[in-house]
Structures are given as structure tokens and as C-alpha cells.
Amino acid sequence: MFDQKLINGMKNFNQLIHVLLALALGVACVMVIWDFGLKASEAWQAGNAATGFFQALGSLFILWTLSTLISAEMNYLQTGRTYVRVFVEVAMISVIREMIVQPVQVISSPGHEANFNPIHYGLLLAALLIIGIVYKLVSETNTAHEPPIE
């Protein structure tokens, strides 16, 4: 009897934590959108729109990650399940973001020829390829088990 009440209490507490996580992710999305606007505005006013936009684009990739996590939270709150695909997708987004932001940082820094590391960039490409393959494999196995999106 006590065990069942404790388990139910912990389930309810866990549900509350996930609701708070979803709300925090929503607030983080608003903050990232605000940051993107500020960065783009500052770059435009400085007359450096192209470089500033690509740096601000890094913020949008963070927004993409947050959106993926919000979708995962909604799915968890509805079904009680979390899929591995979510974590693989977040990893893929992070690598793509790094591949876009890194060259912009190199170009915008003084003496950019010395700062570019082609081996690092090649490793990012290899990581993206591996993560893409894992994502494809995980997506194919999860598709048969996931409920349809409504």
C-alpha cells in the first residue's frame, strides 16, 4: 500500500519535472530568438551583415536543438517514451552548427589563415557522416514502433 502511494507520488513528481522542463525549453527558445535578433541587428548596424548573419545563424541552430527537445518532451508527456533518435538528432544538429560557425569564426578573426584546422574540419565531416548513418538506422527501427503524429 505504501509502496504504491510512493510510486504514484514519484510518477506525479516526474510528470511535474517534465512539465517544468518543457516550460524552461520554451523560455530558452524565446531567449535564443531574442539573441538572434540582437546579433543580426548589431551586425547590420556595424556594416558587417554577412559575417554577423552567419554568427547569428549559430543561434538558430540552438533553436533547432531546443525545438527537437521540446518535441521529445511533448512526446514523453503524451506517451511516457523517449526515443534514442532524439539524442542522435541533437548530436547531428550540434555538429552541423559547429561546421557552419567554425569557418565564420576563422574568417572573422585576424590572421585567419593560421587558425583554420583542416583536420578538425575533416573530423567534423566524418562525425556528421557517422551520425547521419546512425540517425538513418535508428529512424528506420523506431518508425515501426512510434505512434502516428496527430
Side-chain angles (χ1 to χ4, degrees):
M1 174 104 171
F2 177 74
D3 292 346
Q4 191 60 36
K5 286 184 179 182
L6 180 63
I7 290 171
N8 287 336
M10 292 305 290
K11 283 181 182 179
N12 291 334
F13 183 68
N14 188 42
Q15 195 78 357
L16 175 67
I17 288 172
H18 280 279
V19 168
L20 291 175
L21 277 171
L23 291 173
L25 288 169
V27 169
C29 285
V30 171
M31 292 172 69
V32 168
I33 291 169
W34 182 261
D35 183 57
F36 171 78
L38 287 177
K39 285 181 181 177
S41 175
E42 288 171 3
W44 184 266
Q45 290 172 356
N48 196 9
T51 303
F53 177 75
F54 281 114
Q55 287 176 342
L57 189 62
S59 297
L60 291 183
F61 276 96
I62 294 171
L63 187 63
W64 185 11
T65 302
L66 291 171
S67 173
T68 301
L69 293 173
I70 287 173
S71 295
E73 277 302 311
M74 289 185 325
N75 186 39
Y76 180 81
L77 289 171
Q78 291 173 345
T79 66
R81 293 182 180 171
T82 302
Y83 295 99
V84 174
R85 181 187 73 217
V86 172
F87 300 103
V88 177
E89 187 174 339
V90 167
M92 186 176 6
I93 295 167
S94 299
V95 172
I96 291 170
R97 179 187 182 276
E98 183 65 24
M99 290 178 70
I100 291 173
V101 169
Q102 183 192 12
V104 174
Q105 288 174 340
V106 168
I107 290 171
S108 63
S109 68
H112 60 270
E113 293 84 14
N115 292 335
F116 182 72
N117 186 348
I119 294 172
H120 177 74
Y121 205 76
L123 289 172
L124 287 173
L125 285 170
L128 184 60
L129 177 65
I130 292 167
I131 293 170
I133 292 168
V134 170
Y135 182 78
K136 178 73 173 161
L137 292 172
V138 169
S139 293
E140 286 177 357
T141 56
N142 274 351
T143 308
H145 297 42
E146 288 185 23
I149 298 173
E150 299 174 0

